[in-house]
Amino acid sequence: MRKLYFRFQLFAVELWIYRLRNGIKMAKQFTLEEVKKHNTAKDLWFTIHDKVYDVTKFIEEHPGGEEVLLEQGGGFATESFEDVGHSTDARELMKTYEIGEVAEADREGKKSSTKTTPSSPEGSNQNVLMSWLVPLAIAIGAAFVYRYFVGSHN
Ligand code: HEM
């Protein structure tokens, strides 16, 4: 019985480490000001669905041609990207060029948005915290409950 209790504890610690590592792996944030600077064929970034892409090495390989990518350089490319109706393969390929995400305050449709959900950096930090804190609390709670009801019969 004691063994099982320790297993619970080990599980709780593992879960905690896993959540913490996932939290640390948060995407790099770029302001729109920063994205705008990369608008040439030698250094080309744009954003699609609030993710930032460095497509410098992809310009020549793009099946839709170089010109269309250059036109989007340094800005929001979501609409033109979606208008083309890119395939699933294209969407998979995009991940290769993803370098981060647009900073919270600069996101597309931010100003016209009527959403009421809080989106401050504090809010997202809180979400990360809650994502591992709650399972950790449940795991530790389960370990204690187990020890109290089952372990005591030992
Ligand atoms: C990282 C971003 C992008 C990737 C990985 C990508 C990839 C691709 C791929 C794989 C194709 C071939 C067709 C398909 O599989 O859907 C394609 C076609 C095309 N793409 Fe992109 N693309 C990107 C961004 C853009 C953007 C921002 C535009 C802006 C207009 C654009 C315009 C086009 C056009 C016009 C075609 C040709 C469609 C056709 O001939 O039917 N692409 N792209």
Side-chain angles (χ1 to χ4, degrees):
M1 287 300 159
R2 213 157 253 283
K3 252 188 190 170
L4 210 64
Y5 166 67
F6 280 117
R7 274 233 178 116
F8 263 124
Q9 294 256 301
L10 202 66
F11 171 68
V13 172
E14 274 172 3
L15 200 70
W16 181 75
I17 292 169
Y18 172 79
R19 294 283 174 173
L20 202 65
R21 282 175 73 188
N22 269 9
I24 289 164
K25 260 193 267 161
M26 275 169 72
K28 193 164 185 220
Q29 308 256 317
F30 296 100
T31 61
L32 210 54
E33 210 54 47
E34 176 63 34
V35 176
K36 275 183 193 163
K37 290 180 197 160
H38 307 265
N39 60 0
T40 67
K42 284 188 178 148
D43 178 22
L44 195 73
W45 294 11
F46 51 62
T47 78
I48 297 174
H49 293 301
D50 295 322
K51 297 264 169 65
V52 180
Y53 298 89
D54 178 350
V55 290
T56 315
K57 290 188 179 132
F58 181 62
I59 303 175
E60 287 176 17
E61 292 165 32
H62 183 228
E66 300 178 16
E67 206 54 44
V68 284
L69 292 195
L70 286 166
E71 276 169 17
Q72 305 302 322
F76 292 133
T78 308
E79 211 180 319
S80 30
F81 178 83
E82 291 301 349
D83 282 351
V84 171
H86 281 86
S87 64
T88 322
D89 281 353
R91 285 163 203 276
E92 273 300 311
L93 187 63
M94 276 168 82
K95 292 177 191 162
T96 322
Y97 304 100
E98 193 181 315
I99 55 167
E101 59 188 29
V102 181
E104 198 82 39
D106 287 346
R107 294 206 175 153
E108 245 174 304
K110 182 85 186 164
K111 279 167 192 119
S112 57
S113 171
T114 49
K115 277 185 213 161
T116 50
T117 40
S119 52
S120 63
E122 292 80 19
S124 58
N125 281 347
Q126 213 167 36
N127 285 347
V128 170
L129 190 78
M130 290 310 280
S131 68
W132 59 264
L133 205 64
V134 170
L136 177 67
I138 293 170
I140 292 174
F144 276 108
V145 167
Y146 183 84
R147 188 164 83 145
Y148 191 78
F149 287 106
V150 186
S152 58
H153 297 300
N154 244 355

